Amino acid sequence: MTVAAGIGYALIALGPSLSLFVSVISKKPFLILTVLSSTLLWLISLIVLSGIWRGFLPFSSSSSSSSWWPYAILILTSVAFQEALRLFFWKLYQKLEDMLDAFADRVSKPRLFLSDKMLIALAGGLGHGVAHAVFFCISLLTPAFGPATYFIDRCSQVPFFLLSAIIALAFVTIHTFSMVIAFNGYAEGNKVDQYFVPTVHIVAGMVTLVNWAPGGCSVGIPVLYLIAILTLIHCGRMVWRRLTENRIRPGHS
Amino acid sequence: MESSILESIGVEIIGVMSPVSICMFLVVLLVYSLSSDDPFSSTDSTIRTAANLVYVENPSDSVSQKLEGALLNAVVFVILIAIVTFLLVLLYYYHCTNFLKYYMRFSAFFVFASMGGSIFLSLIQKFSIPVDSVTCLLLLFNFTIVGVLSVFAGGIPILMRQGYMVCLGIIVAAWFTKLPEWTTWVLLVALALYDLVAVLAPGGPLKLLVELASSRDEELPALVYEARPTVAPRNGGGGSALGLLITGVMEAEAESSSSSIELQAVSRDNVNENEGRGGGGNIDYSVVTMEDFRNEEIQSVRESEEERSPLVRNFREGQLSSADNGQRFDRREGEIAAEAMRRGGVEIADRGIKLGLGDFVFYSVLVGRAAMYDLMTVYACYLAIISGLGCTLILLSVCRKALPALPISIMLGVLFYFLTRLLMEPFIVGTATNLMMF
């Protein structure tokens, strides 16, 4: 029974990305490699961040609820770092795109289609998202397979594992699709999209601070999902717009 | 709409990575399911192998004692492996190929039957599967025979052969995870270093072996995983997409004109060439050495053996590179203590990349050892190993000669393990248990 519960938590967090992986990514080996390298990049960023913050952790969790601000700083720095990482990833991707195009010319195949570029961005985002879910949710799930569950004080209605799985799902969505938005924004030079992504990321991170307040998770999680859905809609509209534009003017991009 | 190039790049890499991933995943599952209930099971303390010949680790020992003992163990183990490899080269030099061949078959049989058997037995006990001894024996016997046949004989579907290769890797790796912690880490690092020396240094045993084999123009028996492209062979020019991609880029940087023909010519010149491309006019050598070692009660008898890998192939024009793999067993007081499969080289050929079984084993040992700490370290180590493997493969397509597959991956894996354990875990646990995420 508890094994089933554990698997269930894992699937809540990773189920959508798993189906995305199986249906879209796994058919194209290159995308699998993209997912893996982007996951590795995220892991490295996490290690660097934790190396920086290692000296200050754990924050003395005194009973005074005013000690949430170190976490605010932590999230702020982390998000800033990861957004810088996204820029780095974009630079890498540009190099890669040139390589791929050169290669395509060499084997006389068509160059990257617009949809291919979007797929690469999706794979990169999926790597970030999966890394988030794996390290923040799945790696803490080991006790969930055991004969008990765990509740935390501030959100005592729902088991901790379920909570973290739900939050992780929202973040997987945000990470996955904001990468598509960001890459597209960089490619088009669209300032709105370029600023949209860090904003969403930082707001989502800040919203999790609401969970610090007792019972805050009943507010924080819906807001988080609102943000995730907003990202999803924005991404969907943007992709739709690009694809239809592209169809009208074929060969332009 | 034509198929985009995304589908053709990286097929070889995935072809190697997926079996490695499967192997690691199954080892982790095995470690979890077998060790979760009784972490202090008695087998852990009683196992005594060539890998901890000198020093038996005791959890109560001091750190310096453990480190010293583990270092000694690793040194002894590596020296043993080096001796056996040289013995193997010697045997091969004097044309004892048949002896080596049959002995290697016997040892594969032995691995499947006894070590695999004991793992199955503990699985049966753990999950209380109702099966009587006769059935179990029959099943095990069938499993073993089919395993030996499919690993060493031709005419077996490639998928089955690959499956049994992975199986062999899992069984050996599962045994290795029973080594004590410090010894495992030091041993892994030592093996990675040894691998580096043995393959690349002039006079390194594995290098000697490969050169010997290629000078005789015969194939060494192999315990190598062959990742054959499961998709239909790409049309002529496609060779190795990765190699083409990378060489293409290098050329572009050097601003030289397209030189795929030139590259091919170069690759023929070089005897030890690893990568064949452009339609298979090259010859592939796969070298694998399997070394076997056993200590019977009083004295140790060492035998080494190697075996031809049955490379079933329709058109056998291949050139190959070399992958070597050594395997050794150690027996002590009538029971198998441990065995190691050593080493592998990786290679890209027309048919895909080859990876020594030893690499499978030691990657999985690392991940299995990480699994005993936490899931987080497992993911970190997995990613590190896979990326190390990817780096090795990319290097391979740049250097085009046999490369040791262990060093980069093992070093990255060990590094990430300790970074994760020391730095990341408090960070993640501290933030995630407060439901703070980003």
Side-chain angles (χ1 to χ4, degrees):
Chain A
M1 187 56 202
T2 50
V3 173
I7 293 174
Y9 296 142
L11 282 182
I12 286 176
L14 279 181
S17 6
L18 191 69
S19 46
L20 206 59
F21 184 85
V22 171
S23 60
V24 180
I25 307 283
S26 64
K27 294 186 186 71
K28 305 189 175 177
F30 186 77
L31 294 183
I32 302 180
L33 295 180
T34 314
V35 170
L36 281 175
S37 42
S38 126
T39 313
L40 184 81
L41 206 62
W42 207 84
L43 168 65
I44 291 172
S45 84
L46 205 59
I47 286 179
V48 170
L49 279 172
S50 52
I52 294 169
W53 279 93
R54 182 71 181 94
F56 307 99
L57 284 171
F59 300 129
S60 58
S61 54
S62 54
S63 56
S64 65
S65 64
S66 66
S67 65
W68 57 269
W69 58 268
Y71 287 103
I73 300 173
L74 189 150
I75 289 180
L76 217 59
T77 51
S78 308
V79 171
F81 187 81
Q82 289 187 341
E83 289 305 323
L85 192 75
R86 200 194 299 277
L87 275 175
F88 173 68
F89 198 62
W90 164 249
K91 294 270 181 265
L92 271 185
Y93 165 75
Q94 274 182 317
K95 285 223 176 79
L96 194 74
E97 198 182 305
D98 293 343
M99 279 165 67
L100 286 177
D101 279 339
F103 173 69
D105 289 346
R106 174 177 293 260
V107 296
S108 60
K109 281 203 174 184
R111 290 187 164 214
L112 289 181
F113 299 119
L114 178 64
S115 58
D116 288 336
K117 293 179 185 172
M118 284 181 176
L119 277 179
I120 293 177
L122 182 76
L126 192 69
H128 275 37
V130 167
H132 173 95
V134 159
F135 287 103
F136 278 105
C137 170
I138 310 284
S139 58
L140 302 174
L141 271 187
T142 329
F145 290 96
T149 188
Y150 172 60
F151 290 88
I152 56 171
D153 290 337
R154 297 189 197 88
C155 196
S156 52
Q157 300 93 334
V158 187
F160 165 72
F161 302 118
L162 185 56
L163 268 182
S164 68
I166 290 173
I167 296 180
L169 174 60
F171 271 101
V172 170
T173 317
I174 292 174
H175 279 302
T176 306
F177 293 102
S178 61
M179 188 68 91
V180 181
I181 298 174
F183 273 29
N184 203 56
Y186 295 138
E188 280 188 310
N190 184 343
K191 288 285 177 207
V192 179
D193 283 345
Q194 286 178 22
Y195 290 114
F196 178 82
V197 172
T199 318
V200 160
H201 193 174
I202 214 156
V203 169
M206 287 304 163
V207 162
T208 59
L209 282 178
V210 178
N211 297 330
W212 185 264
C217 57
S218 56
V219 180
I221 289 177
V223 174
L224 191 63
Y225 268 82
L226 207 67
I227 297 169
I229 291 169
L230 189 74
T231 315
L232 206 58
I233 292 173
H234 186 84
C235 176
R237 284 176 51 188
M238 188 208 69
V239 170
W240 179 253
R241 179 174 58 79
R242 294 282 327 249
L243 285 182
T244 45
E245 267 176 18
N246 195 47
R247 199 172 300 147
I248 294 165
R249 294 174 292 145
H252 180 74
S253 110
Chain B
M1 191 182 258
E2 277 183 272
S3 67
S4 76
I5 53 170
L6 287 189
E7 286 166 35
S8 57
I9 297 178
V11 180
E12 306 92 347
I13 296 187
I14 294 299
V16 167
M17 279 180 180
S18 51
V20 171
S21 309
I22 292 171
C23 188
M24 288 197 249
F25 177 71
L26 290 179
V27 168
V28 167
L29 268 192
L30 207 63
V31 166
Y32 257 104
S33 58
L34 290 185
S35 72
S36 57
D37 264 9
D38 48 349
F40 306 107
S41 69
S42 56
T43 52
D44 286 15
S45 53
T46 54
I47 185 168
R48 187 165 171 90
T49 69
N52 53 0
L53 216 50
V54 183
Y55 163 75
V56 179
E57 191 172 318
N58 197 331
S60 57
D61 287 351
S62 73
V63 170
S64 62
Q65 235 173 338
K66 280 184 190 170
L67 189 65
E68 198 179 322
L71 276 175
L72 274 178
N73 279 339
V75 167
V76 170
F77 191 71
V78 167
I79 289 176
L80 285 183
I81 283 185
I83 292 172
V84 173
T85 317
F86 274 116
L87 209 66
L88 176 77
V89 176
L90 225 66
L91 275 175
Y92 186 69
Y93 186 75
Y94 290 109
H95 296 277
C96 303
T97 325
N98 269 350
F99 170 72
L100 295 175
K101 204 188 287 186
Y102 288 113
Y103 194 78
M104 190 156 124
R105 271 177 204 173
F106 171 73
S107 42
F109 177 83
F110 211 78
V111 175
F112 278 126
S114 61
M115 301 170 76
S118 81
I119 287 174
F120 290 140
L121 216 60
S122 47
L123 278 178
I124 288 172
Q125 277 174 349
K126 166 81 186 178
F127 295 106
S128 34
I129 301 166
V131 58
D132 62 288
S133 53
V134 178
T135 318
C136 185
L137 208 67
L138 204 68
L139 285 178
L140 184 63
F141 187 71
N142 274 311
F143 169 77
T144 309
I145 294 298
V146 176
V148 173
L149 284 183
S150 65
V151 171
F152 295 117
I156 306 278
I158 183 71
L159 202 63
M160 190 151 172
R161 194 173 132 79
Q162 291 175 336
Y164 267 105
M165 277 297 188
V166 171
C167 229
L168 204 60
I170 291 170
I171 291 172
V172 179
W175 272 84
F176 260 100
T177 54
K178 293 183 179 173
L179 287 177
E181 184 171 8
W182 283 71
T183 307
T184 313
W185 291 117
V186 179
L187 191 69
L188 281 174
V189 174
L191 281 175
L193 292 177
Y194 169 75
D195 202 21
L196 199 63
V197 173
V199 183
L200 294 181
L206 294 166
K207 191 176 168 114
L208 283 182
L209 198 66
V210 174
E211 281 168 1
L212 196 61
S214 57
S215 69
R216 282 187 201 170
D217 205 20
E218 36 179 288
E219 280 186 11
L220 272 186
L223 212 54
V224 202
Y225 182 89
E226 286 176 55
R228 292 194 196 181
T230 50
V231 296
R234 285 179 300 276
N235 31 6
S240 157
L242 178 75
L244 206 53
L245 175 63
I246 288 167
T247 50
V249 169
M250 287 166 60
E251 282 161 17
E253 279 167 6
E255 289 183 328
S256 66
S257 60
S258 91
S259 63
S260 67
I261 299 162
E262 183 188 321
L263 189 65
Q264 201 168 356
V266 170
S267 81
R268 279 202 191 131
D269 286 349
N270 193 341
V271 186
N272 236 351
E273 197 46 85
N274 242 4
E275 175 190 330
R277 66 188 196 109
N282 311 322
I283 301 171
D284 243 8
Y285 263 99
S286 96
V287 179
V288 171
T289 68
M290 184 163 188
E291 310 150 32
D292 230 349
F293 225 55
R294 56 176 55 199
N295 295 335
E296 302 276 357
E297 294 171 7
I298 304 165
Q299 58 177 0
S300 63
V301 183
R302 296 178 188 176
E303 301 152 74
S304 311
E305 145 150 37
E306 54 188 275
E307 159 71 53
R308 285 184 99 244
S309 85
L311 303 171
V312 228
R313 224 177 138 185
N314 298 341
F315 45 98
R316 169 125 234 29
E317 322 133 70
Q319 166 256 25
L320 200 143
S321 38
S322 45
D324 343 357
N325 189 338
Q327 176 177 12
R328 63 202 226 71
F329 303 156
D330 179 331
R331 257 219 229 176
R332 175 159 276 244
E333 291 163 12
E335 70 173 15
I336 306 180
E339 66 181 295
M341 295 194 181
R342 272 283 310 115
R343 206 216 91 60
V346 259
E347 46 195 275
I348 299 181
D350 290 346
R351 295 165 296 157
I353 301 167
K354 296 188 170 191
L355 187 66
L357 200 56
D359 301 323
F360 273 71
V361 172
F362 288 107
Y363 294 162
S364 307
V365 169
L366 206 164
V367 176
R369 174 44 71 180
M372 291 181 195
Y373 183 70
D374 192 16
L375 272 182
M376 200 180 297
T377 50
V378 175
Y379 302 130
C381 286
Y382 169 75
L383 281 176
I385 287 176
I386 285 292
S387 66
L389 185 60
C391 290
T392 312
L393 294 179
I394 289 173
L395 273 183
L396 188 65
S397 56
V398 174
C399 311
R400 299 189 299 280
K401 64 176 206 162
L403 287 179
L406 279 181
I408 302 179
S409 289
I410 293 289
M411 291 307 170
L412 277 180
V414 172
L415 182 73
F416 272 60
Y417 175 83
F418 286 106
L419 281 180
T420 309
R421 183 166 169 174
L422 298 177
L423 294 181
M424 211 170 86
E425 203 189 15
F427 181 78
I428 296 280
V429 172
T431 50
T433 51
N434 284 310
L435 293 178
M436 309 274 174
M437 299 184 188
F438 50 86

